[in-house]
Each structure stands twice: as structure tokens, then as C-alpha cells.
Amino acid sequence: MAIVRLEKGQPKLVEKGRKVSVAAVAEEAGVSRALIHKDYPDLMERIRGNANKAIQSQRDEKHLQLKQERFKNRQLRSKIVDLTEQRNALASKNATLALENRRLLAILESKNVKVFRGKPSE
């Protein structure tokens, strides 16, 4: 009965949320751990099975988290590629505009060029 109460998360003697272990079952049942080890091999298998289930559950949860993080990583890497392409395009436009500015300044500073002021548009 002690292991059933622990598995359901409704122990009477030990604190709730405690893992199902030989010590927890023994404490809940009011017997020694040695008694469980010595006289109840089936109970030991059940306790080990619960431990294995807990380990499997943790492993599955970690695996799911890893998959989610890998997905985020792929998305971020893709975003880095897109942003790098945008940065390169902007750098190219910036260089082109800088050259155009230098060319226009050279024309403006030339003695052979006269700036005409047109009529303001109405």
C-alpha cells in the first residue's frame, strides 16, 4: 500500500513529491529498508521500474528541449544569413553613394562648372 500511495503522490508519512525509492517506501510502510531488500524482491523490481520510468521521462523531456533548441538554432542561423546579405547589400549601396558624393563634390568645386538656380516650382 505504501508504494501505491507514493506512486499516486498521496503519501501519509513522507512528504509529497518525494521520489519512489526503497527508503521512501520503507519509511511510508514503517519498515526497514533491509526488510524490503531481503523479503520483497518483487517490490524492489517495482521500485527500480519506477526509477527507470523517471529517468526515461527526464531523458524524453531533455530530448524534446534539445529538439526545440536545435530548431531555434536553425532559425537564428537562417536569420544571421539573411541579415548578413542585407548588411552586404547596404554596404555596397553606401559605397556607391559615397563615390557619387565625391564625384558631385569634385564637379561642384571645379572652376569650370557654374551652378544654375532654376525657378522655384509652383
Side-chain angles (χ1 to χ4, degrees), residues 17-53:
R18 187 165 167 186
K19 290 182 184 178
V20 177
S21 65
V22 175
V25 172
E27 191 176 326
E28 181 70 17
V31 299
S32 70
R33 289 180 290 190
L35 180 73
I36 293 174
H37 283 288
K38 187 176 87 171
D39 293 341
Y40 297 97
D42 293 342
L43 188 57
M44 284 297 301
E45 287 301 316
R46 186 168 173 177
I47 292 169
R48 284 189 192 110
N50 282 332
N52 288 340
K53 285 179 189 175

Side-chain angles (χ1 to χ4, degrees), residues 6-90:
L6 283 169
E7 288 173 339
K8 289 183 178 181
Q10 300 170 341
K12 291 181 180 177
L13 299 176
V14 299
E15 63 272 1
K16 289 185 180 184
R18 187 165 167 186
K19 290 182 184 178
V20 177
S21 65
V22 175
V25 172
E27 191 176 326
E28 181 70 17
V31 299
S32 70
R33 289 180 290 190
L35 180 73
I36 293 174
H37 283 288
K38 187 176 87 171
D39 293 341
Y40 297 97
D42 293 342
L43 188 57
M44 284 297 301
E45 287 301 316
R46 186 168 173 177
I47 292 169
R48 284 189 192 110
N50 282 332
N52 288 340
K53 285 179 189 175
I55 291 169
Q56 287 174 345
S57 174
Q58 286 176 344
R59 184 196 65 212
D60 293 345
E61 184 179 325
K62 292 290 182 187
H63 181 70
L64 179 60
Q65 289 174 349
L66 180 61
K67 280 178 73 174
Q68 290 169 343
E69 292 302 320
R70 283 182 176 159
F71 178 73
K72 281 194 240 178
N73 193 356
R74 279 193 299 276
Q75 287 181 319
L76 291 172
R77 287 182 185 274
S78 175
K79 192 171 187 173
I80 288 171
V81 168
D82 292 342
L83 291 172
T84 301
E85 289 173 0
Q86 287 177 14
R87 184 201 62 205
N88 291 344
L90 290 171

Side-chain angles (χ1 to χ4, degrees), residues 3 9 83 97 99-100 105:
I3 193 168
L83 291 172
L97 290 172
L99 285 173
E100 180 72 9
L105 282 173

